[in-house]
Amino acid sequence: MHPKILIYRHDDVVEALMADFLVFCNYEVWPAYCREDALLDIKDQDFDIAIFDLTTLEDLELVQAAQSVKPELVVLALTDEHDSTLVKEASLPTDQTLVTPLPLVKILRRIKTLLEKKEADRLNSREPIIYGSLYIDIPNVQARCGSVELNLTQTEFTLLMLLTQQADTAVSKDEIYPKVLGRPRGQYDRAIDVHISSVRHKLQQAGCQDIVIESVRGVGYKLKKSF
């Protein structure tokens, strides 16, 4: 599943360009073309981030209404003046405001940073995952098979955690790449295959015989019990 972003900007052309760019970067984008629609979408959908202009009093009211409806929603406010009264009244963390105009790639970097922070906060509040002999301690970024600790890199840990969260279900490479590597999958990209091979080797070294990572042809990978 790709990160889900709501966009509402004053200029429909600017909004469309941003939406097209983010779709190209493997995000699921919902453009809204008026404040009322944006707020209705927030009420009805679960978004990872909402991107709004913050240059008028009506913009401030939308930000405050969105936060009231979904307090957990991350709002990225685009303003033309960082120390404006509106920005102060919005009471957003400093990393949730950007002074525009900016190249889209810089806005993309901020989106990635906010998503990483949100994911880290989510992981820190999670209970351990237990699947067969596999035990994954999310807050402490540790995994073990039985009593044997798995010496995983951060990328390998994130990959194994994702597969374990969706155990017995094939997880597509298109989903794995942005969640594990933070980027879309390239046409001839085999980076995840290399990390899968390493995780398999470490599971085998730890004597984790009841768990296997199965290749699903044309899709991706599936973690399942071998017996």
Side-chain angles (χ1 to χ4, degrees), residues 3-57:
K4 193 172 179 180
I5 299 176
L6 172 73
I7 301 176
Y8 169 65
R9 305 202 62 185
H10 299 160
D11 189 321
D12 290 350
V13 174
V14 170
E15 178 176 311
L17 287 172
M18 178 181 285
D20 289 345
F21 175 73
L22 292 176
V23 168
F24 176 77
C25 294
N26 234 23
Y27 293 92
E28 183 180 350
V29 180
W30 287 60
Y33 297 102
C34 67
R35 294 179 181 85
E36 293 76 13
D37 285 349
L39 194 55
L40 284 173
D41 287 338
I42 288 170
K43 290 178 179 178
D44 295 339
Q45 305 285 336
D46 290 323
F47 294 99
D48 295 291
I49 291 181
I51 301 175
F52 300 136
D53 285 324
L54 183 54
T55 57
T56 69
L57 182 59

Side-chain angles (χ1 to χ4, degrees), residues 189-209:
D189 202 331
R190 300 208 56 196
I192 286 297
D193 299 336
V194 175
H195 290 299
I196 286 286
S197 178
S198 179
V199 173
R200 281 172 170 162
H201 177 67
K202 291 178 180 181
L203 287 172
Q204 186 178 38
Q205 280 188 319
C208 201
Q209 298 180 353

